[in-house]
Amino acid sequence: MSTVEETIEIAVPVSTAYNQWTQFKSFPRFMTVVKQVEQIRPNLTRWVVGFGPVRHEFDAEIVDQRPDSLVTWRSLGPRLGHRGEVSFRATGSGRTEMSVRIGVRSPGTTGLRTHAAGFVRRAVRAELGHFKEFIEGLGREGGAWRGTIRDGHVRPVEPEPARSRVPHWPVG
């Protein structure tokens, strides 16, 4: 598995960067290789990516998601598997450092894997730059999902309501 890691600093608060990043359907607006994203469930998305005439469709499961901190995912299916994570960290007043790490499982010879890793590195760097331009240009997020996912399971967004303090109604 080849691993690519890129970091960028963005001039928006952590919550703004995180909230926009969780709006996966908006990715085609700023990412050139992402053609379409469909949110099937809170922890499952379907992606269509492409470069030139080549298109690839895959599902991705969000494995862990912590508001303002981390999103990790893994692709599902046998072809071109990958795992990834994006982390968010405040670096100062209204600034965020985003780090993306993607591990790509690519079959073939060492030379082919090295070429694929170089392509992924350039694509990740470029797409992070596009995200930076997009969110700084807006200055605010276009939506948010503040839920938590642990080990692929969606956690309740709000705590369960407190139970009534009345043990039972009087009878008789």
Side-chain angles (χ1 to χ4, degrees), residues 4 6 114-128:
V4 170
E6 290 291 330
T114 302
H115 179 70
F119 174 77
V120 171
R121 178 171 283 107
R122 287 187 303 277
V124 169
R125 184 178 299 135
E127 300 297 24
L128 270 177

Side-chain angles (χ1 to χ4, degrees), residues 17-147:
Y18 172 85
N19 288 345
Q20 185 60 52
W21 190 265
T22 62
Q23 299 305 295
F24 304 115
K25 291 176 106 176
S26 73
F27 277 35
R29 291 180 60 194
F30 57 85
M31 290 192 171
T32 57
V33 297
V34 178
K35 304 306 177 194
Q36 181 181 353
V37 182
E38 178 184 355
Q39 186 93 37
I40 297 169
R41 293 191 303 266
N43 65 336
L44 186 64
T45 53
R46 177 161 295 130
W47 295 73
V48 178
V49 296
F51 188 76
V54 178
R55 295 283 189 269
H56 176 64
E57 185 173 325
F58 63 92
D59 290 344
E61 175 190 30
I62 299 170
V63 179
D64 283 299
Q65 184 167 336
R66 286 177 257 148
D68 299 339
S69 178
L70 179 74
V71 178
T72 64
W73 69 91
R74 67 183 177 99
S75 64
L76 303 175
R79 293 188 58 217
L80 297 173
H82 73 278
R83 300 181 72 79
E85 98 177 19
V86 60
S87 61
F88 303 83
R89 185 175 69 84
T91 58
S93 179
R95 298 190 71 79
T96 302
E97 179 183 271
M98 284 180 60
S99 294
V100 176
R101 180 183 309 182
I102 297 180
V104 180
R105 183 180 62 236
S106 55
T109 65
T110 303
L112 185 58
R113 284 193 297 267
T114 302
H115 179 70
F119 174 77
V120 171
R121 178 171 283 107
R122 287 187 303 277
V124 169
R125 184 178 299 135
E127 300 297 24
L128 270 177
H130 296 151
F131 178 74
K132 174 184 171 71
E133 290 174 20
F134 179 77
I135 192 63
E136 287 179 353
L138 287 177
R140 61 181 175 76
E141 66 269 19
W145 189 75
R146 306 290 298 173

